[in-house]
Amino acid sequence: MHIQEIVIDGFKSYAKRTVVDGFDPMFNAITGLNGSGKSNILDSICFVLGISKLEQVRAGSLQELVYKQGQAGVTRASVTIVFKNKDKKASPVGYEAYDEITVCRQVAIGGRNKYLINGHVAQQNRVQNLFHSVQLNINNPHFLIMQGRITKVINMSPQEILGLIAEAAGTKMYESKKEAAMKTIEKKQAKVEEIQKILSEDITPSLEKLRKERAQYMTWSAGNAEKERLERFVVAADFARAEEVTQQSAEEMERMQQDKANQLQACDDMQAAIEEKEQDIAALHQSKKDEMGEEMRRAEQEAAELSKALVQATAGWQHAQEGAEGEKKAVAKINKSKADLQKQQASRAAKVGKAEGSVETLHAQVTAAQEKLADLERQRQALQAGCDADSKDGDKSLADQLKEAKARSVSAESELKQLSMRVKHLKVELKERSKTQKSAGKEFEKLQAELDKAESAASKAAAERDALSFDPKREEEVGKRVAEEEHAVQALREVVDRLAASVSNLEVEYTAPRPGFDRRKVKGIVASLMRLKEAGNATALEVACGAKLYQLVVADDQTGKELLSGGNLRRRVTIIPLNKIDGHALPPQTVKNAHKAVGPDRAETALSLVGYDAELENAMRYVLGRTLVCKDVEAAKACAFTEGIRVRSVTVDGDLFDPAGTLTGGTRGPASNSVLLKFGELMERRAELKEKEGALAALQRELAALRQSGAQFSALDEKVSLAQHQATLVKGRLQANPFYRQAEELREMEAEVAASDEALASKENEKKTAEEEAKRLEKQVKEYASSWEKLMEGKDKEVLKAKDALAAAQAKLKATREENEAILLEAQAAAEEMTTLEEQLAQAEEALKTAQEATSGAEEVVTQRREAFEAAEAQVKAKRDEVKRADKAIAAAGKEVEGLKKKVEEARLAVKKLEHAITRFDKETVDAHKAVEAMLKAHPWIKTERQLFGKPGSDYDWSATDPKRARERMKEVAEQQERLGKKINKKVMGMFDKAEQEYQEVMDKKRIVENDKMKIEAVMQELDEKKNAALKTTWSKVNRDFSSIFHTLLPNAKCKLEPPEGGTVLDGLVLRVGFGDCWKDSLSELSGGQRSLLALSLILALLLFKPAPMYILDEIDAALDLSHTQNIGSMLKTHFKNSQFIIVSLKEGMFNNANVLFRTKFVDGVSTVTRTTPGQR
């Protein structure tokens, strides 16, 4: 859809009817002098589109849009736009059938405003919806940039820029509809609140009041009926009882007399039985005294004697143990003294070594001083004799030394010449022999190469063998350790098997119910899954668990079902599935109360005393979660029966206190029979076995690796031997070759040449040294004559100084030797003390051994006497058991006697009751006759309903209703009816029905309103989600095009749209610009031209995403230079052919690119328009 024609009449500067037709579907430009009415054409388009912000068209009111505000005789402004609508895909919604759409807007002085669509009057919102459907929202226009507003695009707030994106995405129209829907929701909510207020303040209180009154009325009505029914029932019961008494009086009297006689006979029989039982009890007492008394006394006496002997033996054993412990401490003390002395000896040895080193150093210093003194004396004597003091030959004069030095120089020069000739001759001969050797035979060269190869192979094999770092001793050591570990593992396995056998009858045996069954899902019985933290709690925990100790824990109920159906279980078992069991622990407050009542150290939760895997938490809570373990009976009793606690409690000895009132206790077996201790030891041994097996496996792997390395080492060693043997053979063959001797002689000659070169160099040095010595002596001879006295004086001083140094060194040596002797004496004393300590240690160890032997002997005696005592105790226990059995028999007989006596008393009491009943029955019979006659007179209905009295299923069924309870109920009902009768509303039924109907109608209205509100909110939520998704998609596409267009218009520049810092796209969008690698912090840093290009790039990016039918741009190039203006015009013409552009511009670079150019002129106070095309310009 695009503009084809605009008709302007009385609008702003267009006083007369002006037709602007021939608009190009793509690029149109408007130009003219300032004030000629260019922008008024754009304002007229905005006027028709329904603009409400008149400041955008430079007007303060609609009246200002009329030519000269109606003062020139023009009182009405009208603008008509004809839109071409041939592209039905881009047609406004509902106007697809029209090829042309004519929209007219008129405004008159006084504010009358009218719209027409295709000649028919239309509402403003209909016109706005028409343009909104094709993205022409004039009140939030991204297609409209009016004069001077190009840069205001980049000054928009983040929400306003987001609005441009929303307009491009086509979601802006939804916002106005959403606002209308929100208002509807608010109205619905107000209606709901109004209804709720009516319900809560008026209807509901009235309804509740009527409901209570109706309940009272219903109760009163039902009570009347019940009262009448109960009165008849009670009267009928009284009548029936009285009549029954009159009918059964004789029979009942005879029966009671017979019962009395029977009870008297039973008393006599039981009295005879009592006498017989008492005789039996006396006989049992006599038998117990005769047969068991003496034997019991002897057994107890023997046990007492053995107990005394055991105590004595135990005391002796303990005494021996104390003696051995004392000897142990003595040995430890001596060892400690010995260790301390050894440390002191080590310190003294260090001092002795240091002192000896000092003596040696000082002795060396004394020797050096003596030698220096002797040397100085020799030099002094040499000077006195006229010789050189520094010469080693101090007995020769300087002249003799000079002569000898010159002779050495001549001799060295002669030998040097001879060596030079010898070296020259050897080199010539070596050169000739080398030429001869080069012509040696190929066989020699081949043998030499073979020898080199064999020696290289031997060296390589030896290097490979040495690289293995194989140690045969390590292999032997690891082999021994493997054997030891295998023995230890076997022994540990036997222990584990023995322990497993002791609890095998408790384990649940089963077969896999199906192939692939995961046995890990069967965890085991509860006893095998918990770990005792302290062995002393085993008895308490076993009692706390009870039968649950042997229940089977599985991972899930499916595993349990499979075991029950196909696991071939050997015995009945209860299964605990971890995914179904619901275990509960004691509330923390209950535990806190228990700690407060008895102390935290006297009561602990059973769960805290065991360890288990985390996956078993629910099962352990199910078994132990509701039980406390207490230190003693008083604590357990307090925890079980105190208000605020009342928890199942167990003492460490196994006494159980249940809050229900039951107590369980008594003698238990020895702790060694504890199932939990057995399972705990079994698990510990299994863990130890696993660790040992892991260590054994590691050693076995190491041994296998060592054996493999040993095999490799042996193979490489053999390879080295073979290679060396091969090299030896090749060397022998090489020596047998005729060229070998020549090669050897050549090597010897080369060695001689090298030695001669070295001797030549040595002789040259010797000659040079002799010449230098001669020069030095010549100089010294010349100097000696003038400085002899001065040299003698200096040498005398050196001799005196050397003597003083020697004396000081000798004195220091003497002092150090004395100090060293003192240290040696201390070391000798310490050695003697060490010898004494070793003797004492040997004596103490011998005493310790004797004490340990005595302890072992005493322990054997204790063991023997304990066994004898235990046997005697067992005999005493057996006798006591016999006595207990006899006592039980006597007690049972006594109990029977007591029972018979009690029965006799009961029978005598029954006789007395029968006597009283007979007397009372006589009286009741007379009273019953009178009552029957009285009730027949008072209640005539008795005669008609008499046959129903006592009949099952009738209103007078005594078995269904107790007459006594009915009489009590009748009294209650009568009192209740009397109270209700004073305050009931007898019209309440009709009033309640009417109020309830009104309440239901109001609730229906409320339900309808709430449903409408929920539907609107659901639709809005769905549309919000779609709108947000569309916004994000549009932002992504526009952002890419925005950056690309801006970079094209302004090279080396970039831009982007991004959410505000810390926000999302839905919070708004901000513009960012960068040049090169630097992003600008603020858009205020840009020039006017750059800001215009940035705004234009954003508009063009929006156009590329979802173009509007037309774009109106008013002097957007005002701040741009000619090159940018030309580029923008060219870009619009070549790349944006899907929308109609209407641009106002004063620059040829822009409007010369337009397909149609409109020129405005201001003639006689009125604007005019002329149309030109590129061919006409």
Side-chain angles (χ1 to χ4, degrees):
M1 187 178 80
H2 64 274
I3 295 176
Q4 182 177 347
E5 179 183 272
I6 302 175
V7 180
I8 308 173
D9 186 6
F11 182 84
K12 284 197 170 185
S13 61
Y14 292 89
K16 300 177 182 179
R17 187 176 187 272
T18 304
V19 178
V20 185
D21 59 353
F23 277 86
D24 185 73
M26 290 182 288
F27 197 171
N28 302 272
I30 303 173
T31 188
L33 298 176
N34 290 336
S36 61
K38 302 185 299 298
S39 297
N40 288 343
I41 296 175
L42 304 185
D43 292 346
S44 68
I45 298 172
C46 296
F47 176 66
V48 172
L49 293 179
I51 194 165
S52 59
K53 298 177 182 179
L54 296 179
E55 62 270 12
Q56 292 188 3
V57 292
R58 297 161 296 162
S61 65
L62 289 174
Q63 186 173 334
E64 293 180 10
L65 298 177
V66 181
Y67 179 70
K68 292 188 178 181
Q69 301 185 22
Q71 297 176 5
V74 179
T75 60
R76 182 175 64 88
S78 172
V79 180
T80 302
I81 301 179
V82 180
F83 293 95
K84 202 71 174 177
N85 190 35
K86 287 188 176 182
D87 186 3
K88 304 304 179 184
K89 293 181 180 178
S91 171
V93 177
Y95 295 88
E96 292 82 356
Y98 299 93
D99 292 336
E100 288 185 355
I101 301 173
T102 302
V103 181
C104 176
R105 184 179 182 185
Q106 300 173 356
V107 62
I109 296 297
R112 294 191 301 274
N113 190 20
K114 183 170 66 173
Y115 288 91
L116 293 94
I117 300 177
N118 290 336
H120 301 285
V121 177
Q123 296 294 324
Q124 183 179 2
N125 61 350
R126 182 182 170 192
V127 176
Q128 289 181 345
N129 287 341
L130 183 152
F131 292 121
H132 284 186
S133 66
V134 289
Q135 302 181 64
L136 296 177
N137 182 2
I138 191 61
N139 291 316
N140 188 18
H142 71 284
F143 64 91
L144 172 65
I145 304 297
M146 297 303 288
Q147 183 175 351
R149 294 179 180 270
I150 178 67
T151 57
K152 288 192 176 180
V153 172
I154 61 176
N155 293 330
M156 287 182 175
S157 67
Q159 280 297 331
E160 288 174 333
I161 295 176
L162 181 63
L164 295 179
I165 300 295
E167 192 69 39
T171 61
K172 195 65 181 179
M173 182 174 63
Y174 164 72
E175 292 297 331
S176 59
K177 295 186 180 295
K178 180 181 177 182
E179 290 175 5
M182 290 299 295
K183 291 179 181 178
T184 304
I185 289 176
E186 290 174 2
K187 291 179 182 177
K188 297 281 186 185
Q189 183 62 32
K191 186 66 175 174
V192 170
E193 291 174 357
E194 182 183 354
I195 292 171
Q196 188 65 41
K197 184 176 181 182
I198 293 170
L199 284 171
S200 60
E201 294 181 359
D202 298 332
I203 297 176
T204 303
S206 300
L207 191 62
E208 287 298 322
K209 181 181 178 184
L210 290 173
R211 185 178 282 112
K212 291 178 181 177
E213 291 180 356
R214 186 187 68 161
Q216 291 174 351
Y217 179 78
M218 295 295 290
T219 304
W220 181 78
S221 299
N224 282 338
E226 186 181 6
K227 178 183 175 185
E228 184 178 352
R229 181 182 63 78
L230 289 171
E231 286 176 348
R232 286 196 170 213
F233 186 87
V234 170
V235 170
D238 292 343
F239 179 82
R241 187 171 60 80
E243 192 175 37
E244 185 180 358
V245 169
T246 58
Q247 291 175 356
Q248 297 179 355
S249 59
E251 295 175 2
E252 186 66 20
M253 181 64 73
E254 185 179 353
R255 184 187 63 76
M256 286 191 289
Q257 291 290 353
Q258 183 62 40
D259 286 346
K260 178 181 176 183
N262 292 338
Q263 291 291 346
L264 291 172
Q265 182 62 41
C267 285
D268 295 339
D269 294 342
M270 285 187 286
Q271 191 64 40
I274 288 169
E275 293 174 357
E276 184 179 351
K277 285 291 181 182
E278 287 176 344
Q279 291 175 1
D280 293 341
I281 291 171
L284 285 170
H285 275 296
Q286 187 62 38
S287 175
K288 173 184 172 185
K289 181 179 179 181
D290 295 341
E291 295 179 6
M292 301 176 191
E294 185 59 29
E295 293 179 4
M296 184 71 178
R297 186 184 61 76
R298 285 199 302 271
E300 287 178 346
Q301 185 177 0
E302 184 180 355
E305 291 174 356
L306 288 171
S307 175
K308 290 179 182 178
L310 176 60
V311 170
Q312 291 174 354
T314 303
W317 177 44
Q318 290 176 347
H319 181 70
Q321 280 184 323
E322 290 172 358
E325 196 64 33
E327 295 298 336
K328 266 187 191 177
K329 290 179 180 177
V331 169
K333 185 176 180 181
I334 293 170
N335 280 326
K336 186 175 183 301
S337 301
K338 184 179 177 182
D340 293 340
L341 188 59
Q342 286 174 343
K343 288 181 182 178
Q344 294 174 3
Q345 281 183 323
S347 175
R348 290 191 184 97
K351 288 181 180 179
V352 168
K354 186 176 179 181
E356 289 176 351
S358 299
V359 169
E360 291 176 359
T361 302
L362 291 172
H363 189 273
Q365 289 175 358
V366 169
T367 304
Q370 289 173 344
E371 290 176 354
K372 183 177 180 181
L373 180 61
D375 187 52
L376 289 171
E377 289 285 354
R378 179 186 56 75
Q379 291 179 9
R380 183 171 175 275
Q381 291 174 2
L383 287 173
Q384 287 176 347
C387 298
D388 182 10
D390 295 330
S391 175
K392 292 182 180 180
D393 301 324
D395 54 341
K396 293 182 180 180
S397 64
L398 291 174
D400 293 337
Q401 293 179 31
L402 177 61
K403 185 177 179 181
E404 289 179 358
K406 289 181 178 180
R408 286 198 300 274
S409 174
V410 172
S411 175
E413 185 176 0
S414 176
E415 291 178 1
L416 186 61
K417 289 180 180 179
Q418 292 176 1
L419 281 173
S420 298
M421 293 178 65
R422 174 63 179 166
V423 168
K424 185 176 180 182
H425 175 72
L426 285 173
K427 285 183 178 179
V428 171
E429 188 177 356
L430 180 63
K431 186 176 180 181
E432 292 175 355
R433 291 204 177 192
S434 296
K435 290 179 181 178
T436 306
Q437 185 65 22
K438 286 181 181 178
S439 62
K442 292 182 179 180
E443 183 180 356
F444 176 77
E445 294 177 358
K446 184 178 179 182
L447 287 172
Q448 186 65 45
E450 190 175 347
L451 177 61
D452 293 341
K453 184 177 179 182
E455 288 178 347
S456 175
S459 300
K460 185 177 180 181
E464 289 179 359
R465 180 194 62 189
D466 297 340
L468 284 177
S469 302
F470 174 70
D471 185 4
K473 292 182 179 179
R474 176 61 181 169
E475 181 182 3
E476 182 181 356
E477 179 186 347
V478 173
K480 289 181 180 179
R481 287 182 61 191
V482 166
E484 292 171 359
E485 288 295 327
E486 285 177 346
H487 179 71
V489 167
Q490 183 59 36
L492 198 54
R493 279 179 184 156
E494 291 175 359
V495 173
V496 170
D497 291 342
R498 186 172 66 255
L499 290 171
S502 68
V503 296
S504 60
N505 60 321
L506 303 176
E507 293 281 7
V508 177
E509 297 180 4
Y510 67 94
T511 58
R514 57 177 172 79
F517 179 75
D518 189 359
R519 289 182 175 268
R520 291 175 300 177
K521 290 187 176 182
V522 181
K523 308 300 181 182
I525 64 172
V526 172
S528 67
L529 298 176
M530 61 175 63
R531 300 183 294 276
L532 288 176
K533 295 182 179 178
E534 293 183 14
N537 296 321
T539 301
L541 290 170
E542 285 184 20
V543 173
C545 293
K548 294 177 182 176
L549 194 65
Y550 309 107
Q551 293 181 359
L552 181 65
V553 179
V554 297
D556 50 53
D557 56 333
Q558 183 61 35
T559 303
K561 291 176 183 176
E562 291 179 353
L563 286 177
L564 291 175
S565 60
N568 296 324
L569 297 172
R570 305 292 177 84
R571 61 184 176 86
R572 292 182 63 83
V573 64
T574 300
I575 293 177
I576 303 175
L578 292 175
N579 67 326
K580 294 292 184 181
I581 198 67
D582 187 14
H584 296 286
L586 289 172
Q589 186 59 43
T590 303
V591 177
K592 187 176 180 181
N593 293 343
H595 288 167
K596 186 176 180 181
V598 302
D601 57 335
R602 295 180 65 200
E604 298 178 82
T605 59
L607 270 178
S608 66
L609 301 178
V610 297
Y612 49 83
D613 295 338
E615 63 176 345
L616 304 173
E617 179 72 25
N618 279 348
M620 292 303 169
R621 285 188 175 189
Y622 164 71
V623 175
L624 293 172
R626 308 291 295 182
T627 305
L628 287 176
V629 175
C630 302
K631 294 294 183 184
D632 48 54
V633 172
E634 289 75 12
K637 190 184 298 182
C639 292
F641 304 122
T642 300
E643 285 298 330
I645 307 176
R646 296 189 65 81
V647 173
R648 185 170 179 262
S649 304
V650 184
T651 67
V652 292
D653 295 328
D655 297 328
L656 175 63
F657 292 79
D658 195 291
T662 60
L663 309 177
T664 306
T667 305
R668 299 184 62 84
S672 59
N673 294 332
S674 170
V675 173
L676 289 178
L677 289 177
K678 288 181 179 179
F679 271 109
E681 185 180 1
L682 177 59
M683 286 190 286
E684 288 177 4
R685 295 300 182 187
R686 280 178 175 167
E688 185 180 354
L689 176 60
K690 186 176 180 181
E691 183 181 352
K692 287 281 187 184
E693 287 176 340
L696 175 60
L699 286 172
Q700 288 173 338
R701 287 194 297 272
E702 184 181 359
L703 181 60
L706 286 170
R707 286 175 176 170
Q708 184 178 1
S709 299
Q712 292 178 357
F713 184 85
S714 299
L716 288 173
D717 190 53
E718 186 177 354
K719 185 178 178 181
V720 169
S721 299
L722 289 173
Q724 289 175 345
H725 180 66
Q726 183 68 23
T728 303
L729 293 176
V730 173
K731 191 172 183 180
R733 288 163 55 199
L734 184 63
Q735 289 174 351
N737 192 281
F739 292 98
Y740 179 77
R741 183 59 193 163
Q742 296 178 9
E744 286 293 318
E745 289 176 355
L746 185 62
R747 281 194 291 271
E748 290 175 359
M749 192 175 291
E750 288 174 348
E752 187 177 356
V753 168
S756 297
D757 287 338
E758 290 178 1
L760 188 63
S762 175
K763 285 299 178 182
E764 286 179 351
N765 289 333
E766 185 179 344
K767 177 188 174 185
K768 185 177 180 180
T769 303
E771 289 175 349
E772 290 175 353
E773 180 71 11
K775 290 178 181 180
R776 185 184 67 80
L777 288 170
E778 286 177 353
K779 183 179 179 181
Q780 193 171 0
V781 166
K782 292 177 181 179
E783 293 175 352
Y784 182 75
S786 60
S787 59
W788 183 83
E789 291 181 358
K790 190 176 181 180
L791 288 173
M792 282 296 295
E793 184 179 352
K795 194 61 66 178
D796 289 339
K797 289 180 180 180
E798 288 180 7
V799 168
L800 289 174
K801 188 176 180 181
K803 286 181 179 179
D804 293 339
L806 175 62
Q810 288 173 340
K812 192 173 182 181
L813 175 62
K814 181 180 179 182
T816 304
R817 280 177 174 168
E818 291 175 355
E819 183 180 352
N820 193 19
E821 287 175 0
I823 294 172
L824 287 173
L825 288 174
E826 289 179 1
Q828 290 174 358
E832 292 174 359
E833 186 178 354
M834 178 63 73
T835 304
T836 304
L837 284 174
E838 287 177 349
E839 292 174 356
Q840 292 176 356
L841 179 62
Q843 294 173 359
E845 287 176 346
E846 183 64 29
L848 174 61
K849 184 177 179 182
T850 304
Q852 288 176 338
E853 290 174 356
T855 301
S856 300
E859 187 177 4
E860 290 178 3
V861 172
V862 168
T863 303
Q864 293 171 359
R865 292 187 178 179
R866 182 180 286 111
E867 290 174 354
F869 172 70
E870 289 175 352
E873 275 290 309
Q875 187 177 1
V876 170
K877 185 179 179 183
K879 292 298 181 182
R880 286 175 179 167
D881 289 342
E882 290 179 9
V883 172
K884 286 181 180 179
R885 286 194 292 272
D887 289 339
K888 284 183 180 178
I890 293 169
K895 193 173 181 181
E896 288 182 14
V897 169
E898 291 298 324
L900 288 171
K901 288 181 178 179
K902 187 175 181 182
K903 288 181 180 179
V904 168
E905 292 296 326
E906 291 173 353
R908 288 174 178 168
L909 182 60
V911 170
K912 290 182 179 179
K913 287 182 179 179
L914 285 170
E915 289 174 348
H916 289 298
I918 291 169
T919 304
R920 188 176 63 252
F921 190 73
D922 286 337
K923 185 176 178 298
E924 287 178 354
T925 301
V926 176
D927 293 339
H929 279 291
K930 294 179 180 179
V932 167
E933 293 175 358
M935 282 188 283
L936 284 172
K937 290 179 181 179
H939 305 288
W941 53 268
I942 293 178
K943 294 180 181 179
T944 57
E945 297 185 10
R946 188 173 184 177
Q947 69 276 9
L948 299 175
F949 291 175
K951 188 175 182 181
S954 67
D955 292 339
Y956 308 101
D957 184 359
W958 321 132
S959 60
T961 305
D962 182 19
K964 184 178 179 181
R965 182 73 188 95
R967 189 183 304 279
E968 294 172 356
R969 176 62 184 158
M970 183 183 70
K971 292 180 181 179
E972 293 175 2
V973 170
E975 293 173 358
Q976 181 181 347
Q977 289 300 101
E978 186 178 356
R979 288 195 304 271
L980 289 174
K982 296 177 182 179
K983 55 183 179 180
I984 61 169
N985 180 5
K986 295 183 179 179
K987 297 180 181 180
V988 71
M989 298 301 291
M991 294 170 66
F992 179 79
D993 291 340
K994 183 179 179 182
E996 192 171 35
Q997 184 178 358
E998 291 177 357
Y999 175 79
Q1000 196 59 45
E1001 289 174 356
V1002 173
M1003 288 301 293
D1004 291 341
K1005 290 180 182 178
K1006 179 185 175 185
R1007 202 158 31 249
I1008 291 168
V1009 173
E1010 288 177 340
N1011 288 338
D1012 291 346
K1013 178 187 171 187
M1014 289 172 61
K1015 289 177 182 177
I1016 293 171
E1017 288 175 342
V1019 171
M1020 286 173 59
Q1021 183 178 0
E1022 182 181 357
L1023 291 177
D1024 277 337
E1025 292 173 357
K1026 292 180 179 178
K1027 182 195 78 171
N1028 294 340
L1031 281 176
K1032 291 178 182 177
T1033 303
T1034 305
W1035 165 64
S1036 178
K1037 175 68 169 59
V1038 168
N1039 200 20
R1040 289 195 299 272
D1041 294 340
F1042 178 36
S1043 179
S1044 175
I1045 293 170
F1046 187 65
H1047 181 71
T1048 302
L1049 295 176
L1050 195 62
N1052 198 34
K1054 55 187 177 181
C1055 62
K1056 62 181 177 180
L1057 288 169
E1058 65 179 11
E1061 186 176 357
T1064 65
V1065 176
L1066 301 179
D1067 296 326
L1069 294 169
V1070 295
L1071 293 168
R1072 292 291 306 279
V1073 176
F1075 294 93
D1077 295 330
C1078 178
W1079 289 93
K1080 297 292 184 182
D1081 294 330
S1082 172
L1083 299 182
S1084 60
E1085 300 178 32
L1086 304 180
S1087 66
Q1090 290 171 338
R1091 293 161 69 87
S1092 297
L1093 289 175
L1094 183 65
L1096 187 60
S1097 299
L1098 177 57
I1099 293 168
L1100 295 178
L1102 293 170
L1103 168 60
L1104 281 176
F1105 176 75
K1106 191 173 182 183
M1110 64 179 175
Y1111 286 87
I1112 300 171
L1113 308 177
D1114 189 2
E1115 296 188 31
I1116 61 170
D1117 54 356
L1120 303 179
D1121 55 30
L1122 294 178
S1123 62
H1124 284 130
T1125 302
Q1126 181 68 33
N1127 291 339
I1128 293 169
S1130 177
M1131 180 185 291
L1132 293 176
K1133 183 174 182 179
T1134 56
H1135 293 92
F1136 297 91
K1137 298 181 179 181
N1138 295 324
S1139 297
Q1140 184 181 41
F1141 280 83
I1142 302 173
I1143 298 178
V1144 172
S1145 177
L1146 297 175
K1147 296 184 179 181
E1148 291 185 3
M1150 177 66 76
F1151 60 71
N1152 281 345
N1153 286 290
N1155 297 328
V1156 172
L1157 176 63
F1158 296 96
R1159 292 182 182 272
T1160 61
K1161 294 181 180 180
F1162 198 68
V1163 181
D1164 297 332
V1166 178
S1167 296
T1168 61
V1169 182
T1170 58
R1171 178 181 182 273
T1172 61
T1173 59
Q1176 298 172 340
R1177 295 174 203 167

